[in-house]
Amino acid sequence: MDYSNIIEKIRKSIGIVYMVKDNDILSKGSGFIFFKKGVLITCNHVIENPDSNISVQFPDDQKLIQAKVMIRDEEHDLALLKFDDNTREPLEIANNDIIREGIPVIFAGYPLGLVNLTTHQGILSAILTDATGVTTYSIDGTVNFGNSGCPLMSEDGKVIGVVNAKRMEHSDLLNKMGKQKIGVISLHGIDLVQLFQAIINNVQLGIGYAIPCTYIPKPHDVTQDKKEEEK
C-alpha cells in the first residue's frame, strides 16, 4: 500500500522529544500531538530525568521548543507535555471497532538517533492482557530505541496506541546487565556496562509493543471542553 499521502498528512504533528542539560542532549524519544493543539503525548520514561529540561522539535522546523509536563502516568508509562505552538493539528483517534488482532498498522517516529521522521508498517499481532487487567498491543514490526512515544496508527493514519520501545522481553541475563552501574567494568578505556546497555537498548527481535489510546490521560481542559460541547 502507498502511505505517502498519509505520511504527508501526519508528519507535522509528530516530533522529537529531547532531554537537554547545559545545552547537551542527554536522550531523546518521539511524541505526537493529541487531544488539542499544543499538547504532546510521549512515554514517561522518555522524560524521566529530573535534572533535565524538555524540548520538542518537528520535521519541518529546526527550532527547539521548550515543553513542560502536564500529566505523568507512571503505571502505563505515558506523559502529556504542553508546548507553545498552536499551528500544528492533533492526530485523530481511530474508532475502537476497527481494533482487532491481525489489522495492518503503521508507526512513525525517530528511531536510532535519526532526526528524520521514519515510518514502519506491520500488523497488530496480539492484544495482551496481564494479570492486573492492563492491556498491551503486540506489534509485528520493527520498533527500535527512539520510537518510544510515537503513534501506533491504523492504515489511514488514525491513532490506536502509543509505541513503547522500552517494553521488551529480555532474558534474566540481559535484565541483570541492564541494572548494572556504569563505571563498574572497563577494558582498555571502554566502559563495558555502557557498551552492553547500548546493545540491549538496540536488540530488535521484530516484536514491538504499544499502550492503547484508552490509557492516555486526558488533560482537564480537554475534559471541560467536551462537557461544554455536550451542553
Side-chain angles (χ1 to χ4, degrees):
M1 181 174 176
D2 182 354
Y3 294 107
S4 57
N5 290 334
I6 299 299
I7 293 171
E8 187 62 30
K9 179 181 177 181
I10 64 176
R11 66 182 301 107
K12 292 183 179 180
S13 299
I14 304 174
I16 310 175
V17 180
Y18 291 108
M19 295 299 290
V20 182
K21 183 178 182 181
D22 300 327
N23 294 321
D24 291 327
I25 296 174
L26 303 182
S27 62
K28 79 174 190 68
S30 304
F32 61 98
I33 301 172
F34 202 55
F35 292 128
K36 62 187 301 183
K37 296 177 180 179
V39 175
L40 194 88
I41 310 298
T42 189
C43 287
N44 185 61
H45 75 259
V46 171
I47 57 161
E48 63 185 353
N49 191 328
D51 299 322
S52 305
N53 296 316
I54 306 169
S55 294
V56 297
Q57 186 182 50
F58 292 93
D60 60 329
D61 191 347
Q62 297 302 307
K63 177 179 63 177
L64 291 178
I65 306 170
Q66 288 190 337
K68 294 183 179 180
V69 178
M70 297 176 67
I71 302 174
R72 289 183 186 269
D73 180 353
E74 295 182 1
E75 179 183 0
H76 301 107
D77 197 12
L78 294 169
L80 270 66
L81 307 180
K82 179 72 175 177
F83 68 101
D84 187 16
D85 185 341
N86 290 319
T87 65
R88 301 175 186 280
E89 296 294 331
L91 298 183
E92 297 180 48
I93 189 170
N95 191 317
N96 277 336
D97 293 342
I98 72 161
I99 302 174
R100 59 187 185 277
E101 294 178 349
I103 65 168
V105 293
I106 59 174
F107 49 98
Y110 300 87
L112 303 176
L114 299 175
V115 294
N116 294 316
L117 185 69
T118 303
T119 304
H120 296 275
Q121 63 178 335
I123 65 170
L124 184 60
S125 56
I127 299 176
L128 313 171
T129 303
D130 66 18
T132 66
V134 175
T135 298
T136 305
Y137 296 147
S138 174
I139 310 162
D140 180 6
T142 309
V143 176
N144 286 294
F145 182 68
N147 275 129
S148 284
C150 82
L152 177 68
M153 298 168 284
S154 57
E155 283 189 305
D156 57 358
K158 295 183 179 180
V159 181
I160 66 175
V162 183
V163 172
N164 191 321
K166 190 174 182 179
R167 191 187 187 287
M168 301 174 68
E169 301 300 330
H170 289 155
S171 69
D172 289 341
L173 177 61
L174 291 181
N175 283 329
K176 289 177 182 178
M177 181 56 69
K179 294 177 182 178
Q180 293 296 317
K181 293 183 179 180
I182 291 174
V184 175
I185 309 171
S186 63
L187 180 65
H188 301 302
I190 299 174
D191 191 311
L192 296 185
V193 173
Q194 191 172 20
L195 175 61
F196 286 138
Q197 288 180 353
I199 293 172
I200 291 169
N201 283 334
N202 288 282
V203 168
Q204 179 47 248
L205 301 177
I207 299 174
Y209 296 91
I211 301 98
C213 278
T214 51
Y215 292 120
I216 300 176
K218 292 182 174 64
H220 297 303
D221 53 348
V222 170
T223 304
Q224 186 61 38
D225 290 345
K226 186 175 181 180
K227 288 180 179 179
E228 290 296 328
E229 290 174 0
E230 292 174 349
K231 288 183 178 179

